[in-house]
């Protein structure tokens, strides 16, 4: 039997075929899961529709700007109506105003700080709260994070602070939801060339730096994130919760 046969998953954060969320969605699908996708606004609807269309008619497609509670409520109401349950949730969204990812961190405005945390960290709490009542047989919640949460990565700035908040939120959620057999983990990915990544000043240098310095001397592949996402969603990870798993070709262990 496939690893995720019979599981229902919600994927938040597909913008296009390069999105990490798309790599994980494909892996979940290949492992037998049935999926629902969200898209942020009409601009991305067509992209997501085209990609998710390949998964067949049982795939659900729903609008969701994660800063809007009513849209989050609508997503879970639609999943309850169509599937009656949920097993997996992928949180793969992040945003900070471009200025905040270019200059000095000390110049981060109150508004940029608020927006970055609202979209990139609080949204995990809001989505987990909506998902939990549907995860009646237990569940697995995954969030995408980055090493800039624990070490200074030039230009990552307020996004690093928001990722620290995301990782801490995952730990508190893991504690709250553990008695319901709902696990909450983060995947800390090495750099992947996506739209969000290209918004970070100096991303090209970061990419080359990982290739030169990581123990495996290369960058992570999107399909490797898909494989890790499938493992964390599966019963093989049944005793793993509240963790940050580094999928970065070993870069995180380096001191110099
Ligand atoms: P991506 O393809 O651009 O995906 C980011 C997604 O977040 C997009 O679908 C984006 O939609 C969505 N989003 C932003 N604001 C939103 C909102 N208010 N409501 C709903 N969705 C919103 O980039 P990605 O690299 O795959 O990023 C996915 C996750 O992986 C992020 O959490 C990112 O920080 C993390 N990550 C990425 C890397 C990397 O190197 N790429 C490394 C480690 C971790 P719009 O396009 O409409 O804004």
């Amino acid at each position: 039997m496939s690893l995720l046969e019979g599981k229902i998953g919600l994927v938040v954060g597909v913008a296009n075929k390069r999105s990490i969320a798309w790599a994980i969605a494909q892996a979940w699908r290949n492992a037998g899961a049935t999926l629902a996708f969200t898209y942020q606004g009409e601009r991305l609807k067509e992209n997501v529709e085209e990609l998710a269309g390949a998964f067949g008619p049982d795939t659900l497609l729903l609008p969701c700007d994660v800063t809007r509670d009513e849209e989050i409520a609508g997503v879970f109401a639609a999943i309850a109506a169509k599937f009656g349950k949920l097993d997996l949730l992928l949180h793969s969204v992040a945003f900070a105003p471009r200025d905040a990812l270019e200059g000095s961190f000390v110049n981060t405005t109150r508004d940029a700080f608020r927006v970055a945390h609202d979209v990139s960290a609080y949204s995990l709490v809001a989505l987990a709260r909506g998902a939990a009542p549907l995860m009646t047989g237990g569940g697995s919640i995954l969030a995408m994070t980055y090493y800039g949460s624990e070490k200074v990565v030039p230009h990552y700035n307020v996004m690093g602070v928001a990722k620290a908040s995301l990782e801490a939120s995952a730990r508190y959620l893991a504690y709250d939801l553990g008695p319901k057999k709902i696990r909450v983990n983060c995947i800390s990915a090495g750099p992947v060339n996506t739209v969000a990544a290209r918004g970070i000043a100096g991303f090209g240098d970061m990419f080359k730096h990982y290739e030169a310095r990581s123990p495996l001397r290369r960058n992570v592949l999107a399909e490797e994130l898909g494989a890790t996402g499938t493992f964390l969603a599966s019963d093989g990870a049944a005793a793993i919760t509240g963790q940050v798993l580094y999928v970065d070709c070993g870069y995180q262990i380096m001191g110099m």
Side-chain angles (χ1 to χ4, degrees):
M1 195 170 104
S2 299
L3 227 45
L4 303 180
E5 201 67 57
K7 305 277 190 202
I8 307 292
L10 170 62
V11 176
V12 181
V14 176
N16 56 43
K17 66 179 185 345
R18 285 173 179 267
S19 296
I20 291 172
W22 179 239
I24 294 177
Q26 283 177 294
W28 280 4
R29 177 65 179 185
N30 291 339
T34 298
L35 300 179
F37 290 87
T38 64
Y39 57 88
Q40 195 208 174
E42 289 303 306
R43 184 173 56 85
L44 287 184
K45 185 178 181 188
E46 216 173 294
N47 270 359
V48 182
E49 215 162 36
E50 203 179 309
L51 290 170
F55 288 179
D58 55 352
T59 306
L60 203 54
L61 200 64
L62 304 157
C64 185
D65 177 332
V66 296
T67 63
R68 301 176 73 104
D69 287 333
E70 66 283 9
E71 291 194 13
I72 291 178
V75 167
F76 292 108
I79 291 173
K82 184 162 170 92
F83 302 115
K85 68 153 190 167
L86 184 68
D87 304 286
L88 316 172
L89 165 64
L90 173 64
H91 175 286
S92 189
V93 298
F95 176 79
R98 208 181 174 101
D99 298 355
L101 300 174
E102 282 173 354
S104 303
F105 174 69
V106 71
N107 291 329
T108 307
T109 63
R110 189 182 299 275
D111 201 47
F113 193 94
R114 182 190 59 74
V115 169
H117 283 72
D118 189 8
V119 176
S120 317
Y122 179 72
S123 56
L124 177 67
V125 182
L127 286 168
R129 190 165 57 245
L134 290 173
M135 292 184 159
T136 46
S140 175
I141 298 176
L142 290 186
M144 295 307 306
T145 188
Y146 178 62
Y147 183 59
S149 63
E150 57 170 287
K151 297 285 181 191
V152 173
V153 174
H155 309 299
Y156 203 61
N157 294 358
V158 70
M159 191 51 77
V161 183
K163 288 301 191 192
S165 168
L166 177 77
E167 292 171 16
S169 299
R171 289 189 282 274
Y172 278 90
L173 289 168
Y175 175 71
D176 276 0
L177 301 177
K180 296 185 161 111
K181 295 197 175 82
I182 299 172
R183 300 180 292 103
V184 187
N185 292 290
C186 295
I187 295 178
S188 186
V192 179
N193 193 356
T194 63
V195 175
R198 285 194 297 271
I200 301 158
F203 175 75
D205 294 339
M206 190 193 283
F207 203 75
K208 284 189 207 132
H209 184 78
Y210 271 68
E211 221 165 59
R213 301 293 165 86
S214 65
L216 297 180
R217 304 291 195 280
R218 64 175 179 86
N219 277 292
V220 65
L221 303 173
E223 55 265 35
E224 292 170 330
L225 297 171
T228 306
T230 303
F231 163 66
L232 284 174
S234 75
D235 289 345
I240 301 176
T241 194
Q243 299 301 312
V244 176
L245 194 56
Y246 291 86
V247 186
D248 63 352
C249 298
Y251 184 84
Q252 190 261 349
I253 65 167
M254 300 304 292
M256 200 179 147

